[in-house]
Amino acid sequence: MFRTALRNVLAHKARLLMTTLAVMLGVAFVAGTLVFTATLSDAFARSSAKGFEAVDVVVRPDFSSDEADPGGPSDLPRELLERTRELPGVEHATGAVSGFAALAGKDGKLVGEGWSTQGGNYDTGPDGSGEDPRYDLREGRAPQRAGEIALDSATAGRTGYGVGDTVRLSVSGPVREEKVTGVFDTDDGNVAAGGTLVLFDTATAQELFSQPGLYSEVVLTASEGVDQGELRKSVEKVLPEQAEAVTGQSLADDQARMIEAEMEGMRTGLLVFAGISLFVGVFIIANTFTMLVAQRTKELALLRAVGASRRQVTRSVLVEAVVVGAIAAGIGLLAGIGIGAGLRSLMGSLGLTVPDGPLIVPPAAVIASLVVGIKVTVVAAWLPARRAAKVPPVAAMGSVHAPSTVRGLVVRNTIGAVLAGAGAVLVLAATGMDDGKIPMGAGAGLLVIGVFVLTPLLSRPVIALTSPVMRTAGVSGKLARLNAVRNPRRTAATAAALMIGLTLITGLTVIASSVQKGVDKMATEALKADYVVSMANYRPLSPEVERTLAEQDEVTALSPMRSSLSRIGDEYEVLTGVDGEGFGELVELDFTEGSFAGLGGESVIVDTATAKERGWRTGSTFEVVHEDGERGELTVGGVYRDNEMMTGVMLDTAALDPHLEKVTSMQVLVATEGGASESAKSALADALGNNPAVLVQDEEDVSESIAQMITLMLNMLYGLLAMAVVVAVLGVVNTLAMSVFERSQEIGMLRAIGLDRRGTKRMVRLESLVISLFGGVLGVGLGVFFGWAAGELIASLIPTYELVLPWERMGVFLALAALVGVLAALWPARRAARLNMLEAIKTE
């Protein structure tokens, strides 16, 4: 039986090709994901570990401390740096200061990846004449005073800056012009990943990123013969409260774990789409083996007649599946390795720098490829194999066996109706739940399975709707429609593969379009300000930005939006500082109690959710512990309906600023004379020095920035789901090709009685078009339903959420389904038209 199974595989190579391709694509997606994420993880981990090679112990603020100070631990004083320098076993102690520093390239645009554009200090030691062991100067000298900087060599190479050049950069808003005095090499992982590192002298760095005399951390290098553990214990004896000592190895391990966790999220997301492709591939595999088994019914019956048992017949078909799955898995693994390497190169071509490192093929990729490829193929082939073994030998050899019975169809339709009904009910029930994500996901799965089971039943009435159009194609159109419903199960399986891909694509598009509409509406309703000024990476803005804007003649109203972590009762609460006088002119809030008049002095306004949770009303008073540790009493002067743009406790900056360690703003809201205009926007940008790190956005810009993020995410999802659509196309090609083979005698008879080659091609193409549109209609319909249902959950988070049906895009999706049908039919139609009619008529 084993030899028989192998011969059958070799005898049907062409017919199994599409199945092999479908499995191979899914496996390649899985293997490519594992190779790509393993390679990225290893490259970043190596780069990170290299950056800690010269670090034995780091002293830093203890962020795990649970003290009363809501502002958290402070930076480290110079006295601690001096004490650690005197400890036995310390060869070198460096005070480090760091923060955000945005560098502008020669084109005026931001250099680096935004979040990785860092600034720091070059520590010349206690006497000011030493070298910083963290950085190796390759050109020029270290910065010694304000107005001087050093650049990392990678950034210098990318930007073309060199020693003696003047560059523009920003730390927290205002543009600074600095002279490059040196270029240095560094093992910093952020730089290796495409970021930038700008070094200042220590005094300037402290002024920019901390306070004079304070450090972000102290980096210690051990003397020869002293291990990191010993040095850490020695350092812990001189540590103040809210400070901790961590070994360099621990930091490297923590960084590696963090990188692995980040890669895990990416890996999981990509594997989900790989799973979708494989799930779609299951329909193709099942279809292929069903048709192969049907074509070999007499052969299998003869095996039964000469003594083969049902189990042996089933095993022979499953052996074929194992062989096909193993071949597809092997090819898929090789393709996946190529995909992993290609994705890494693609990141480089897109400007997303990846640290150098080897291509990693983890054992998990090899194991997963083999297991997934073989298992998916065997699972999909099991039902056709079992069905073949159940056919009575005599009935099969006499060709009188019935492929399906009325009872079988009734059972199938009943099961499908129960599953679809239960899924629909569960989805509808989940829309009214506070946290209905899990029930909705389960209901969606049941509904999709139920619709798939019911697809043979649905195919006849849906495809019948195409009759008026098909009549215009004459005999070919009528034959195509009849062929499409001749074998409902096969049509269902073929259409279902395309249905799943379009369901996901349509659902995501409906959700994205609706969210965009809700965000636009929210921005329109909540903001009266003409412009919102913020940092490009959403870091705090310098107060100089606020002062500069206030001095402009065009500005008629202005309010910063500060953020301060304070404590109210036993819980931490973020207080938002705003200008009490001008805030009402810049935002639109719906007050349920009080008004903007209640905002000023020690009087605050709060959102309805916070007020309800704490039992506050207008006139309620509460105690607050500010971030500097001082206590105060605030009074509720108004309660407003919360929204995504405005929420929380708001108080006047005059009451909040005295408690801030550093006065900064997350945003500045600005109103200008005559409203928003290009001239006013340009004037504000010019006043801020045309800073690449600062965004001056009007209402349309805010909406467009959010739209760009949504569009980018949607396009990424489209790209990932394209694999499932490609697999679905292979399914249509496979079904049509095998259908043409099965109907060779019939096609020969049609040709003999007058159907020409053009008519034969048209018949096959129209059949493919009908099946694809059937899957497209089901997919778009289910996608709209799921998009609406998911929107009901989102509406509880975004009050302005509004269902939007993107008719144009849905039309494009149906056109895509039609295109799939046309393209998939090219080869089968050509093959059908070229059949020799006499040989075809003699085919059994």
Side-chain angles (χ1 to χ4, degrees):
M1 293 300 294
F2 180 74
R3 289 195 300 271
T4 301
L6 292 180
R7 281 199 298 270
N8 283 326
V9 171
L10 296 175
H12 302 103
K13 294 188 292 290
R15 279 176 266 174
L16 289 169
L17 176 62
M18 293 300 173
T19 298
T20 304
L21 281 174
V23 179
M24 182 271 288
L25 286 174
V27 170
F29 206 156
V30 172
T33 295
L34 296 175
V35 169
F36 175 60
T37 53
T39 300
L40 280 189
S41 180
D42 180 78
F44 281 112
R46 284 172 182 264
S47 174
S48 175
K50 193 175 181 182
F52 289 110
E53 284 181 357
V55 177
D56 289 311
V57 172
V58 170
V59 179
R60 65 185 183 184
D62 184 4
F63 294 99
S64 63
S65 176
D66 188 21
E67 299 292 330
D69 178 10
S74 301
D75 286 344
L76 306 173
R78 183 177 184 83
E79 292 75 16
L80 177 61
L81 173 62
E82 299 299 337
R83 286 202 301 271
T84 56
R85 279 193 175 126
E86 303 300 325
L87 289 173
V90 174
E91 180 178 334
H92 199 285
T94 304
V97 187
S98 61
F100 171 74
L103 177 70
K106 291 183 177 181
D107 58 358
K109 296 181 180 179
L110 184 66
V111 180
E113 303 303 323
W115 294 99
S116 301
T117 50
Q118 295 294 310
N121 69 310
Y122 188 96
D123 189 356
T124 54
D127 59 358
S129 61
E131 296 182 351
D132 194 323
R134 299 172 296 170
Y135 310 112
D136 180 20
L137 280 170
R138 58 187 294 182
E139 295 179 36
R141 61 171 175 82
Q144 298 174 348
R145 60 186 65 87
E148 296 181 348
I149 63 164
L151 283 179
D152 69 87
S153 55
T155 299
R158 278 185 292 159
T159 59
Y161 288 136
V163 175
D165 288 340
T166 298
V167 302
R168 297 170 67 247
L169 59 84
S170 173
V171 171
S172 57
V175 172
R176 302 171 60 92
E177 291 194 350
E178 312 279 354
K179 182 178 179 181
V180 179
T181 62
V183 175
F184 61 91
D185 291 326
T186 176
D187 294 325
D188 190 298
N190 287 324
V191 174
T196 64
L197 181 58
V198 179
L199 297 182
F200 303 84
D201 65 283
T202 298
T204 302
Q206 288 174 331
E207 180 184 343
L208 294 174
F209 304 128
S210 180
Q211 293 183 31
L214 296 182
Y215 296 90
S216 305
E217 58 186 26
V218 174
V219 180
L220 304 176
T221 303
S223 303
E224 189 174 350
V226 179
D227 67 28
Q228 294 184 356
E230 292 177 14
L231 184 58
R232 181 177 62 83
K233 290 179 182 178
S234 177
V235 170
E236 285 178 340
K237 296 176 182 177
V238 299
L239 290 184
E241 291 184 10
Q242 289 189 288
E244 62 176 349
V246 186
T247 64
Q249 185 61 52
S250 296
L251 291 172
D253 292 343
D254 290 344
Q255 189 79 2
R257 281 192 291 270
M258 184 179 72
I259 292 170
E260 181 60 30
E262 291 174 353
M263 289 298 110
E264 183 63 31
M266 180 190 295
R267 186 183 300 118
T268 301
L270 292 173
L271 287 176
V272 167
F273 289 96
I276 293 170
S277 298
L278 287 167
F279 183 63
V280 171
V282 166
F283 296 109
I284 301 175
I285 300 164
N287 241 4
T288 301
F289 277 94
T290 297
M291 288 186 277
L292 286 175
V293 166
Q295 292 165 15
R296 289 161 41 205
T297 301
K298 288 188 177 181
E299 173 192 327
L300 295 176
L302 182 59
L303 289 174
R304 291 286 312 280
V306 297
S309 64
R310 285 187 176 183
R311 183 173 296 179
Q312 285 178 310
V313 171
T314 302
R315 283 179 182 171
S316 71
V317 177
L318 293 181
V319 166
E320 294 179 44
V322 170
V323 172
V324 171
I327 294 172
I331 300 173
L333 175 60
L334 295 176
I337 294 172
I339 289 172
L343 286 175
R344 177 173 174 168
S345 299
L346 179 62
M347 289 185 71
S349 65
L350 294 175
L352 303 174
T353 309
V354 179
D356 292 333
L359 184 70
I360 304 298
V361 182
V366 179
I367 297 171
S369 298
L370 293 173
V371 171
V372 168
I374 295 173
K375 188 172 182 179
V376 166
T377 312
V378 170
V379 168
W382 178 79
L383 192 60
R386 184 170 175 272
R387 191 181 298 135
K390 292 176 68 175
V391 176
V394 176
M397 287 194 293
S399 299
V400 296
H401 64 288
S404 59
T405 62
V406 174
R407 180 174 176 274
L409 292 174
V410 170
V411 171
R412 179 187 177 112
N413 293 338
T414 302
I415 293 173
V418 170
L419 290 174
V425 169
L426 198 54
V427 169
L428 292 173
T431 59
M433 299 179 184
D434 293 333
D435 187 11
K437 290 181 290 187
I438 294 177
M440 184 169 289
L446 284 175
L447 181 55
V448 168
I449 295 172
V451 170
F452 166 66
V453 175
L454 286 174
T455 307
L457 179 66
L458 298 173
S459 63
R460 290 185 180 277
V462 174
I463 292 177
L465 296 175
T466 64
S467 294
V469 178
M470 288 298 178
R471 288 196 192 100
T472 61
V475 175
S476 297
K478 183 177 180 180
L479 289 172
R481 184 177 63 80
L482 293 174
N483 288 334
V485 295
R486 176 186 296 183
N487 192 327
R489 286 185 176 180
R490 185 183 302 169
T491 298
T494 306
L498 191 59
M499 175 191 78
I500 292 169
L502 287 181
T503 295
L504 293 170
I505 290 173
T506 304
L508 290 170
T509 303
V510 170
I511 293 170
S513 301
S514 302
V515 168
Q516 179 61 44
K517 178 73 173 180
V519 170
D520 288 346
K521 190 175 180 182
M522 183 188 302
T524 304
E525 292 181 354
L527 280 179
K528 291 196 294 184
D530 296 318
Y531 299 101
V532 177
V533 180
S534 63
M535 292 292 287
N537 68 338
Y538 307 106
R539 296 286 288 269
L541 282 164
S542 164
E544 188 175 332
V545 172
E546 182 184 339
R547 290 193 295 268
T548 301
L549 292 171
E551 293 170 358
Q552 304 309 304
D553 296 334
E554 299 88 351
V555 175
T556 58
L558 175 147
S559 174
M561 294 192 70
R562 313 206 202 288
S563 181
S564 174
L565 183 64
S566 304
R567 197 179 68 191
I568 300 173
D570 296 328
E571 297 179 6
Y572 288 104
E573 188 80 41
V574 175
L575 302 181
T576 302
V578 298
D579 180 66
E581 295 182 3
F583 193 59
E585 300 179 38
L586 300 165
V587 299
E588 185 73 47
L589 296 180
D590 182 12
F591 282 89
T592 59
E593 299 180 36
S595 65
F596 281 114
L599 177 61
E602 302 297 323
S603 181
V604 303
I605 58 175
V606 301
D607 64 292
T608 50
T610 303
K612 181 179 179 181
E613 179 184 349
R614 296 185 177 273
W616 292 341
R617 297 182 60 81
T618 301
S620 300
T621 60
F622 57 91
E623 191 177 78
V624 60
V625 180
H626 291 284
E627 68 174 57
D628 62 355
E630 289 193 21
R631 297 178 180 273
E633 188 175 83
L634 301 176
T635 303
V636 177
V639 179
Y640 64 92
R641 297 188 191 279
D642 56 307
N643 58 65
E644 290 297 306
M645 301 290 287
M646 303 289 168
T647 186
V649 180
M650 298 185 184
L651 74 161
D652 197 341
T653 52
L656 181 64
D657 288 359
H659 301 289
L660 300 180
E661 183 178 344
K662 198 169 185 178
V663 177
T664 58
S665 303
M666 298 308 297
Q667 295 176 329
V668 177
L669 307 182
V670 181
T672 54
E673 188 174 356
S677 66
E678 283 301 319
S679 59
K681 185 176 181 180
S682 297
L684 296 181
D686 290 341
L688 296 173
N690 290 311
N691 193 329
V694 176
L695 298 176
V696 180
Q697 296 179 298
D698 57 22
E699 183 182 297
E700 185 178 346
D701 292 330
V702 173
S703 177
E704 283 183 1
S705 65
I706 297 172
Q708 286 176 354
M709 289 189 290
I710 293 175
T711 301
L712 176 63
M713 181 179 66
L714 201 56
N715 288 339
M716 289 175 59
L717 294 175
Y718 283 166
L720 293 169
L721 287 171
M723 182 68 76
V725 176
V726 170
V727 174
V729 172
L730 293 177
V732 179
V733 174
N734 200 26
T735 298
L736 289 173
M738 299 192 75
S739 179
V740 167
F741 178 83
E742 281 186 345
R743 302 202 311 261
S744 296
Q745 188 178 56
E746 175 187 320
I747 293 172
M749 291 293 294
L750 290 171
R751 291 289 313 283
I753 61 175
L755 186 65
D756 59 11
R757 288 189 174 185
R758 180 176 297 179
T760 304
K761 286 182 180 180
R762 188 184 302 119
M763 176 184 70
V764 177
R765 288 171 184 164
L766 289 174
E767 179 183 351
S768 175
L769 182 64
V770 167
I771 293 174
S772 297
L773 283 175
F774 173 50
V777 169
L778 290 180
V780 170
L782 282 174
V784 169
F785 177 69
F786 291 143
W788 165 81
E792 292 297 300
L793 294 182
I794 296 173
S796 63
L797 303 175
I798 304 178
T800 53
Y801 181 89
E802 182 180 326
L803 179 66
V804 174
L805 296 181
W807 295 107
E808 290 183 4
R809 288 202 181 190
M810 290 192 293
V812 170
F813 298 153
L814 286 176
L816 175 65
L819 181 63
V820 165
V822 172
L823 294 178
L826 292 178
W827 177 58
R830 185 168 178 269
R831 182 182 177 188
R834 296 182 65 183
L835 283 175
N836 183 297
M837 64 180 74
L838 295 178
E839 291 182 1
I841 291 172
K842 292 189 295 180
T843 302
E844 292 186 4

